[in-house]
Amino acid sequence: MGNRYASGKKAIAMCDRCGQQFLLKTLKTEIIKQRKYQLLVCAECWDPDQPQLMLGTFPVDDPQALRNPRKDTTYVTSGVNLGGYTAGGSRDIQWGWNPVGGSRFFDDGLTPNYLVATTFVGTVTVS
């Protein structure tokens, strides 16, 4: 039994988008969201399938939690610096802005701040 369709080597067809004539074998099938539609379009009118239209098609697993978390004890076990304060831990943060060296009253226990502002005011003589 032979093929049901002719070879169509010289068959002419029209682009379903722009309406111009092309060889039938040069037209491409339009695909939107991974589905083929009955549109045959030329190379200029053909758009590749947009990846953003496939959001939610594939499962994305982006875990945030840890399976066996451990308590951070490095702040307590890190040691004492020359000033007598604990230092070298993961939360040994010295920061200061508005006012310089001051932390808010409620996070002083979390991030103790040992910054000290030193100033000097001299004398000015205007003549």
Side-chain angles (χ1 to χ4, degrees):
M1 188 166 160
N3 193 354
R4 291 180 61 180
Y5 301 105
S7 64
K9 293 178 186 175
K10 298 180 183 177
I12 295 176
M14 296 183 75
C15 173
D16 288 332
R17 230 181 237 157
C18 66
Q20 294 186 16
Q21 288 185 350
F22 295 94
L23 290 175
L24 179 62
K25 62 182 178 182
T26 62
L27 296 179
K28 297 181 178 183
T29 304
E30 187 71 20
I31 299 173
I32 302 172
K33 289 189 180 181
Q34 297 181 331
R35 291 186 62 198
K36 289 186 177 182
Y37 287 87
Q38 296 295 326
L39 296 175
L40 291 177
V41 294
C42 63
E44 287 186 25
C45 295
W46 184 76
D47 292 326
D49 199 10
Q50 179 58 254
Q52 289 181 341
L53 295 177
M54 292 182 259
L55 292 177
T57 305
F58 305 104
V60 176
D61 189 22
D62 190 16
Q64 299 294 319
L66 299 175
R67 185 179 302 273
N68 294 315
R70 295 291 183 256
K71 183 176 152 182
D72 184 13
T73 58
T74 60
Y75 188 71
V76 177
T77 61
S78 62
V80 178
N81 65 9
L82 295 175
Y85 304 114
T86 56
S90 63
R91 292 174 293 192
D92 190 8
I93 302 168
Q94 293 295 308
W95 48 273
W97 66 85
N98 194 17
V100 173
S103 64
R104 292 199 165 77
F105 69 94
F106 53 84
D107 48 332
D108 195 28
L110 298 174
T111 56
N113 201 337
Y114 306 117
L115 294 177
V116 178
T118 306
T119 62
F120 177 77
V121 178
T123 59
V124 177
T125 306
V126 179
S127 58

